[in-house]
mmCIF file with all atom_site columns, all heavy atoms in Angstrom:
data_model
loop_
_atom_site.group_PDB
_atom_site.id
_atom_site.type_symbol
_atom_site.label_atom_id
_atom_site.label_alt_id
_atom_site.label_comp_id
_atom_site.label_asym_id
_atom_site.label_entity_id
_atom_site.label_seq_id
_atom_site.pdbx_PDB_ins_code
_atom_site.Cartn_x
_atom_site.Cartn_y
_atom_site.Cartn_z
_atom_site.occupancy
_atom_site.B_iso_or_equiv
_atom_site.pdbx_formal_charge
_atom_site.auth_seq_id
_atom_site.auth_comp_id
_atom_site.auth_asym_id
_atom_site.auth_atom_id
_atom_site.pdbx_PDB_model_num
ATOM 1   N N   . PRO A 1 49 ? -24.077 3.858   -20.416 1.00 53.00 ? 252 PRO A N   1
ATOM 2   C CA  . PRO A 1 49 ? -22.854 4.430   -19.820 1.00 53.00 ? 252 PRO A CA  1
ATOM 3   C C   . PRO A 1 49 ? -22.159 5.240   -20.894 1.00 53.00 ? 252 PRO A C   1
ATOM 4   O O   . PRO A 1 49 ? -22.003 4.819   -22.028 1.00 53.00 ? 252 PRO A O   1
ATOM 5   C CB  . PRO A 1 49 ? -22.093 3.188   -19.441 1.00 53.00 ? 252 PRO A CB  1
ATOM 6   C CG  . PRO A 1 49 ? -23.089 2.104   -19.246 1.00 53.00 ? 252 PRO A CG  1
ATOM 7   C CD  . PRO A 1 49 ? -24.130 2.403   -20.271 1.00 53.00 ? 252 PRO A CD  1
ATOM 8   N N   . SER A 1 50 ? -21.793 6.459   -20.539 1.00 77.00 ? 253 SER A N   1
ATOM 9   C CA  . SER A 1 50 ? -21.300 7.384   -21.558 1.00 77.00 ? 253 SER A CA  1
ATOM 10  C C   . SER A 1 50 ? -19.901 7.892   -21.297 1.00 77.00 ? 253 SER A C   1
ATOM 11  O O   . SER A 1 50 ? -19.439 8.821   -21.973 1.00 77.00 ? 253 SER A O   1
ATOM 12  C CB  . SER A 1 50 ? -22.246 8.625   -21.646 1.00 77.00 ? 253 SER A CB  1
ATOM 13  O OG  . SER A 1 50 ? -22.481 9.172   -20.391 1.00 77.00 ? 253 SER A OG  1
ATOM 14  N N   . HIS A 1 51 ? -19.178 7.241   -20.376 1.00 90.00 ? 254 HIS A N   1
ATOM 15  C CA  . HIS A 1 51 ? -17.821 7.731   -20.085 1.00 90.00 ? 254 HIS A CA  1
ATOM 16  C C   . HIS A 1 51 ? -16.953 6.471   -19.846 1.00 90.00 ? 254 HIS A C   1
ATOM 17  O O   . HIS A 1 51 ? -17.405 5.504   -19.155 1.00 90.00 ? 254 HIS A O   1
ATOM 18  C CB  . HIS A 1 51 ? -17.806 8.623   -18.838 1.00 90.00 ? 254 HIS A CB  1
ATOM 19  C CG  . HIS A 1 51 ? -16.548 9.419   -18.726 1.00 90.00 ? 254 HIS A CG  1
ATOM 20  N ND1 . HIS A 1 51 ? -15.378 8.887   -18.246 1.00 90.00 ? 254 HIS A ND1 1
ATOM 21  C CD2 . HIS A 1 51 ? -16.275 10.743  -18.959 1.00 90.00 ? 254 HIS A CD2 1
ATOM 22  C CE1 . HIS A 1 51 ? -14.427 9.834   -18.221 1.00 90.00 ? 254 HIS A CE1 1
ATOM 23  N NE2 . HIS A 1 51 ? -14.979 10.962  -18.646 1.00 90.00 ? 254 HIS A NE2 1
ATOM 24  N N   . PRO A 1 52 ? -15.707 6.480   -20.315 1.00 93.00 ? 255 PRO A N   1
ATOM 25  C CA  . PRO A 1 52 ? -14.854 5.319   -20.099 1.00 93.00 ? 255 PRO A CA  1
ATOM 26  C C   . PRO A 1 52 ? -14.391 5.170   -18.649 1.00 93.00 ? 255 PRO A C   1
ATOM 27  O O   . PRO A 1 52 ? -13.854 4.093   -18.264 1.00 93.00 ? 255 PRO A O   1
ATOM 28  C CB  . PRO A 1 52 ? -13.676 5.563   -21.053 1.00 93.00 ? 255 PRO A CB  1
ATOM 29  C CG  . PRO A 1 52 ? -13.634 7.026   -21.238 1.00 93.00 ? 255 PRO A CG  1
ATOM 30  C CD  . PRO A 1 52 ? -15.076 7.473   -21.193 1.00 93.00 ? 255 PRO A CD  1
ATOM 31  N N   . GLY A 1 53 ? -14.468 6.242   -17.901 1.00 95.00 ? 256 GLY A N   1
ATOM 32  C CA  . GLY A 1 53 ? -14.070 6.204   -16.517 1.00 95.00 ? 256 GLY A CA  1
ATOM 33  C C   . GLY A 1 53 ? -12.623 5.892   -16.389 1.00 95.00 ? 256 GLY A C   1
ATOM 34  O O   . GLY A 1 53 ? -11.744 6.489   -17.047 1.00 95.00 ? 256 GLY A O   1
ATOM 35  N N   . TYR A 1 54 ? -12.267 4.895   -15.508 1.00 97.00 ? 257 TYR A N   1
ATOM 36  C CA  . TYR A 1 54 ? -10.896 4.511   -15.316 1.00 97.00 ? 257 TYR A CA  1
ATOM 37  C C   . TYR A 1 54 ? -10.514 3.294   -16.172 1.00 97.00 ? 257 TYR A C   1
ATOM 38  O O   . TYR A 1 54 ? -9.453  2.756   -16.028 1.00 97.00 ? 257 TYR A O   1
ATOM 39  C CB  . TYR A 1 54 ? -10.655 4.178   -13.846 1.00 97.00 ? 257 TYR A CB  1
ATOM 40  C CG  . TYR A 1 54 ? -10.660 5.390   -12.979 1.00 97.00 ? 257 TYR A CG  1
ATOM 41  C CD1 . TYR A 1 54 ? -11.771 5.765   -12.254 1.00 97.00 ? 257 TYR A CD1 1
ATOM 42  C CD2 . TYR A 1 54 ? -9.501  6.156   -12.833 1.00 97.00 ? 257 TYR A CD2 1
ATOM 43  C CE1 . TYR A 1 54 ? -11.791 6.904   -11.452 1.00 97.00 ? 257 TYR A CE1 1
ATOM 44  C CE2 . TYR A 1 54 ? -9.477  7.287   -12.010 1.00 97.00 ? 257 TYR A CE2 1
ATOM 45  C CZ  . TYR A 1 54 ? -10.635 7.659   -11.327 1.00 97.00 ? 257 TYR A CZ  1
ATOM 46  O OH  . TYR A 1 54 ? -10.617 8.760   -10.532 1.00 97.00 ? 257 TYR A OH  1
ATOM 47  N N   . GLY A 1 55 ? -11.374 2.909   -17.097 1.00 96.00 ? 258 GLY A N   1
ATOM 48  C CA  . GLY A 1 55 ? -11.045 1.814   -18.003 1.00 96.00 ? 258 GLY A CA  1
ATOM 49  C C   . GLY A 1 55 ? -11.650 0.479   -17.593 1.00 96.00 ? 258 GLY A C   1
ATOM 50  O O   . GLY A 1 55 ? -12.467 0.424   -16.679 1.00 96.00 ? 258 GLY A O   1
ATOM 51  N N   . ARG A 1 56 ? -11.296 -0.531  -18.352 1.00 97.00 ? 259 ARG A N   1
ATOM 52  C CA  . ARG A 1 56 ? -11.863 -1.841  -18.198 1.00 97.00 ? 259 ARG A CA  1
ATOM 53  C C   . ARG A 1 56 ? -11.553 -2.456  -16.814 1.00 97.00 ? 259 ARG A C   1
ATOM 54  O O   . ARG A 1 56 ? -10.465 -2.269  -16.239 1.00 97.00 ? 259 ARG A O   1
ATOM 55  C CB  . ARG A 1 56 ? -11.293 -2.790  -19.279 1.00 97.00 ? 259 ARG A CB  1
ATOM 56  C CG  . ARG A 1 56 ? -11.884 -4.182  -19.337 1.00 97.00 ? 259 ARG A CG  1
ATOM 57  C CD  . ARG A 1 56 ? -11.371 -4.977  -20.462 1.00 97.00 ? 259 ARG A CD  1
ATOM 58  N NE  . ARG A 1 56 ? -9.889  -5.165  -20.350 1.00 97.00 ? 259 ARG A NE  1
ATOM 59  C CZ  . ARG A 1 56 ? -9.370  -6.179  -19.657 1.00 97.00 ? 259 ARG A CZ  1
ATOM 60  N NH1 . ARG A 1 56 ? -10.131 -7.069  -19.063 1.00 97.00 ? 259 ARG A NH1 1
ATOM 61  N NH2 . ARG A 1 56 ? -8.017  -6.292  -19.603 1.00 97.00 ? 259 ARG A NH2 1
ATOM 62  N N   . LEU A 1 57 ? -12.575 -3.189  -16.271 1.00 98.00 ? 260 LEU A N   1
ATOM 63  C CA  . LEU A 1 57 ? -12.398 -3.823  -14.983 1.00 98.00 ? 260 LEU A CA  1
ATOM 64  C C   . LEU A 1 57 ? -11.665 -5.154  -15.162 1.00 98.00 ? 260 LEU A C   1
ATOM 65  O O   . LEU A 1 57 ? -11.833 -5.827  -16.153 1.00 98.00 ? 260 LEU A O   1
ATOM 66  C CB  . LEU A 1 57 ? -13.730 -4.052  -14.309 1.00 98.00 ? 260 LEU A CB  1
ATOM 67  C CG  . LEU A 1 57 ? -14.651 -2.849  -14.118 1.00 98.00 ? 260 LEU A CG  1
ATOM 68  C CD1 . LEU A 1 57 ? -15.848 -3.231  -13.252 1.00 98.00 ? 260 LEU A CD1 1
ATOM 69  C CD2 . LEU A 1 57 ? -13.897 -1.667  -13.514 1.00 98.00 ? 260 LEU A CD2 1
ATOM 70  N N   . ARG A 1 58 ? -10.873 -5.522  -14.129 1.00 98.00 ? 261 ARG A N   1
ATOM 71  C CA  . ARG A 1 58 ? -10.147 -6.790  -14.171 1.00 98.00 ? 261 ARG A CA  1
ATOM 72  C C   . ARG A 1 58 ? -10.185 -7.383  -12.735 1.00 98.00 ? 261 ARG A C   1
ATOM 73  O O   . ARG A 1 58 ? -10.367 -6.643  -11.770 1.00 98.00 ? 261 ARG A O   1
ATOM 74  C CB  . ARG A 1 58 ? -8.679  -6.549  -14.592 1.00 98.00 ? 261 ARG A CB  1
ATOM 75  C CG  . ARG A 1 58 ? -7.945  -5.644  -13.682 1.00 98.00 ? 261 ARG A CG  1
ATOM 76  C CD  . ARG A 1 58 ? -6.586  -5.217  -14.154 1.00 98.00 ? 261 ARG A CD  1
ATOM 77  N NE  . ARG A 1 58 ? -5.881  -4.397  -13.180 1.00 98.00 ? 261 ARG A NE  1
ATOM 78  C CZ  . ARG A 1 58 ? -5.137  -4.814  -12.159 1.00 98.00 ? 261 ARG A CZ  1
ATOM 79  N NH1 . ARG A 1 58 ? -4.985  -6.116  -11.964 1.00 98.00 ? 261 ARG A NH1 1
ATOM 80  N NH2 . ARG A 1 58 ? -4.594  -3.969  -11.320 1.00 98.00 ? 261 ARG A NH2 1
ATOM 81  N N   . PRO A 1 59 ? -10.024 -8.695  -12.616 1.00 98.00 ? 262 PRO A N   1
ATOM 82  C CA  . PRO A 1 59 ? -9.952  -9.284  -11.258 1.00 98.00 ? 262 PRO A CA  1
ATOM 83  C C   . PRO A 1 59 ? -8.764  -8.752  -10.485 1.00 98.00 ? 262 PRO A C   1
ATOM 84  O O   . PRO A 1 59 ? -7.648  -8.738  -11.042 1.00 98.00 ? 262 PRO A O   1
ATOM 85  C CB  . PRO A 1 59 ? -9.890  -10.780 -11.508 1.00 98.00 ? 262 PRO A CB  1
ATOM 86  C CG  . PRO A 1 59 ? -10.344 -10.952 -12.915 1.00 98.00 ? 262 PRO A CG  1
ATOM 87  C CD  . PRO A 1 59 ? -9.965  -9.733  -13.638 1.00 98.00 ? 262 PRO A CD  1
ATOM 88  N N   . VAL A 1 60 ? -8.936  -8.399  -9.258  1.00 98.00 ? 263 VAL A N   1
ATOM 89  C CA  . VAL A 1 60 ? -7.856  -7.891  -8.406  1.00 98.00 ? 263 VAL A CA  1
ATOM 90  C C   . VAL A 1 60 ? -7.926  -8.601  -7.088  1.00 98.00 ? 263 VAL A C   1
ATOM 91  O O   . VAL A 1 60 ? -8.974  -8.696  -6.471  1.00 98.00 ? 263 VAL A O   1
ATOM 92  C CB  . VAL A 1 60 ? -7.948  -6.342  -8.162  1.00 98.00 ? 263 VAL A CB  1
ATOM 93  C CG1 . VAL A 1 60 ? -6.784  -5.866  -7.295  1.00 98.00 ? 263 VAL A CG1 1
ATOM 94  C CG2 . VAL A 1 60 ? -7.942  -5.612  -9.498  1.00 98.00 ? 263 VAL A CG2 1
ATOM 95  N N   . ARG A 1 61 ? -6.822  -9.087  -6.601  1.00 98.00 ? 264 ARG A N   1
ATOM 96  C CA  . ARG A 1 61 ? -6.742  -9.861  -5.356  1.00 98.00 ? 264 ARG A CA  1
ATOM 97  C C   . ARG A 1 61 ? -6.724  -8.936  -4.152  1.00 98.00 ? 264 ARG A C   1
ATOM 98  O O   . ARG A 1 61 ? -6.002  -7.923  -4.151  1.00 98.00 ? 264 ARG A O   1
ATOM 99  C CB  . ARG A 1 61 ? -5.503  -10.796 -5.349  1.00 98.00 ? 264 ARG A CB  1
ATOM 100 C CG  . ARG A 1 61 ? -5.621  -11.940 -6.347  1.00 98.00 ? 264 ARG A CG  1
ATOM 101 C CD  . ARG A 1 61 ? -4.562  -12.990 -6.192  1.00 98.00 ? 264 ARG A CD  1
ATOM 102 N NE  . ARG A 1 61 ? -4.755  -14.083 -7.112  1.00 98.00 ? 264 ARG A NE  1
ATOM 103 C CZ  . ARG A 1 61 ? -5.549  -15.130 -6.894  1.00 98.00 ? 264 ARG A CZ  1
ATOM 104 N NH1 . ARG A 1 61 ? -6.188  -15.208 -5.731  1.00 98.00 ? 264 ARG A NH1 1
ATOM 105 N NH2 . ARG A 1 61 ? -5.668  -16.079 -7.835  1.00 98.00 ? 264 ARG A NH2 1
ATOM 106 N N   . ASP A 1 62 ? -7.474  -9.313  -3.184  1.00 98.00 ? 265 ASP A N   1
ATOM 107 C CA  . ASP A 1 62 ? -7.549  -8.631  -1.899  1.00 98.00 ? 265 ASP A CA  1
ATOM 108 C C   . ASP A 1 62 ? -6.218  -8.746  -1.199  1.00 98.00 ? 265 ASP A C   1
ATOM 109 O O   . ASP A 1 62 ? -5.659  -9.873  -1.048  1.00 98.00 ? 265 ASP A O   1
ATOM 110 C CB  . ASP A 1 62 ? -8.666  -9.273  -1.106  1.00 98.00 ? 265 ASP A CB  1
ATOM 111 C CG  . ASP A 1 62 ? -8.758  -8.797  0.348   1.00 98.00 ? 265 ASP A CG  1
ATOM 112 O OD1 . ASP A 1 62 ? -8.272  -7.680  0.595   1.00 98.00 ? 265 ASP A OD1 1
ATOM 113 O OD2 . ASP A 1 62 ? -9.304  -9.533  1.177   1.00 98.00 ? 265 ASP A OD2 1
ATOM 114 N N   . LEU A 1 63 ? -5.659  -7.648  -0.680  1.00 98.00 ? 266 LEU A N   1
ATOM 115 C CA  . LEU A 1 63 ? -4.376  -7.657  0.014   1.00 98.00 ? 266 LEU A CA  1
ATOM 116 C C   . LEU A 1 63 ? -4.481  -8.277  1.443   1.00 98.00 ? 266 LEU A C   1
ATOM 117 O O   . LEU A 1 63 ? -3.479  -8.535  2.058   1.00 98.00 ? 266 LEU A O   1
ATOM 118 C CB  . LEU A 1 63 ? -3.767  -6.248  0.120   1.00 98.00 ? 266 LEU A CB  1
ATOM 119 C CG  . LEU A 1 63 ? -3.463  -5.623  -1.246  1.00 98.00 ? 266 LEU A CG  1
ATOM 120 C CD1 . LEU A 1 63 ? -2.935  -4.221  -1.084  1.00 98.00 ? 266 LEU A CD1 1
ATOM 121 C CD2 . LEU A 1 63 ? -2.399  -6.473  -1.978  1.00 98.00 ? 266 LEU A CD2 1
#
Side-chain angles (χ1 to χ4, degrees):
S253 52
H254 197 284
Y257 288 98
R259 186 176 62 87
L260 305 188
R261 61 188 181 87
V263 180
R264 291 190 177 274
D265 172 23
L266 296 178

